Amino acid sequence: MAGHSQFKNIMYRKGAQDAKRAKMFTKLAKEITVAAKQGLPEPDKNPRLRAAIAAARAQSMPKDNIERAMKRALPGGDSADYEEVRYEGMGPGNVSVIVEALTDNRNRTAAEVRSAFTKAGGGLSTVTFNFERVGLIQYPADKADAETMLEHAIMAGAQDVESDETSHTIYCQPDDLQAVRDALEDELGEPEAARLDWKPLTVVDITDEDQAKSLFKFLDVLEDNDDVQRVAANFNVSEDIMEKVGG
């Protein structure tokens, strides 16, 4: 996710969606398979695969599921040929949204994503100018205090750190992601997440309860799509509105 406030909003909603765990595991497995297929099927020699496995472990994905996903990438495996695609547009409340997907049918995915935007009163358009492409690395809050995490991040070559009661989010240049991740891993162990992401340059404050409900419903439709791997959006919702919406 892009942006600490919007990231927290999304994670707040996802925390109450245990019924979607199977769908989440499917998406995590797809990323593992694609990562293993595009590079070496060995985590130690494939940063994307290592990050995908770390993300799966952070969500308590069973070890057997992870191993099966890796095996699908081997010759003779049953994995489909997935293509990485990206869609951009405006959602409810003039929120800019970037959708990243892995699909074996570009036409199907494009139609479904376009339909989600249209039904929400938005549409596809270029919005990446509202975001910065960054490397993102995340650790749980109990891994270190904020000052110590900042020191480690600076030494590793990162640009910025955002710490709160649940996590530390470290940002770096996209080309530096692997080097920064490796340096932090040597000091702090495996991160919960390490990936390229989108960080908002501008943020839209959602102050109306109905508007927040419309936005969350729209984002849920996107995230429920089997092909969609990640959604980034440049919004912030206050805690008061979040409580009223109820996740």
Side-chain angles (χ1 to χ4, degrees), residues 81-117:
D81 288 326
Y82 293 111
E83 180 180 6
E84 294 180 281
V85 292
R86 186 178 77 211
Y87 306 95
E88 309 168 32
M90 300 296 291
N94 291 321
V95 170
S96 298
V97 180
I98 297 176
V99 181
E100 295 181 327
L102 288 173
T103 180
D104 57 356
N105 187 326
R106 178 188 282 261
N107 291 335
R108 177 196 67 224
T109 307
E112 292 175 350
V113 171
R114 185 180 296 109
S115 175
F117 274 90

Side-chain angles (χ1 to χ4, degrees), residues 47-74:
R48 179 174 176 177
L49 176 58
R50 194 160 72 247
I53 292 174
R57 288 173 176 164
Q59 295 298 329
S60 301
M61 186 172 175
K63 182 179 179 181
D64 289 347
N65 294 41
I66 295 174
E67 292 178 349
R68 281 199 299 271
M70 292 178 62
K71 288 179 180 178
R72 291 192 187 101
L74 299 175

Side-chain angles (χ1 to χ4, degrees), residues 106-190:
R106 178 188 282 261
N107 291 335
R108 177 196 67 224
T109 307
E112 292 175 350
V113 171
R114 185 180 296 109
S115 175
F117 274 90
T118 300
K119 290 180 179 178
L124 297 180
S125 60
T126 301
V127 300
T128 47
F129 57 84
N130 285 324
F131 297 84
E132 176 186 10
R133 193 60 161 163
V134 297
L136 178 149
I137 302 165
Q138 197 163 53
Y139 282 95
D142 60 6
K143 179 60 68 170
D145 59 51
E147 184 176 350
T148 301
M149 183 60 70
L150 179 60
E151 292 175 357
H152 283 303
I154 292 173
M155 292 298 294
Q159 292 181 303
D160 192 19
V161 180
E162 292 174 350
S163 299
D164 57 31
E165 68 279 2
T166 62
S167 65
H168 303 285
T169 302
I170 299 104
Y171 297 104
C172 65
Q173 289 288 345
D175 290 344
D176 296 338
L177 177 58
Q178 182 174 344
V180 173
R181 179 221 157 91
D182 289 346
L184 288 172
E185 188 169 346
D186 287 342
E187 296 294 329
L188 301 169
E190 187 175 63

Side-chain angles (χ1 to χ4, degrees), residues 76 101 118 120 210 245:
T118 300
D210 290 336
V245 172

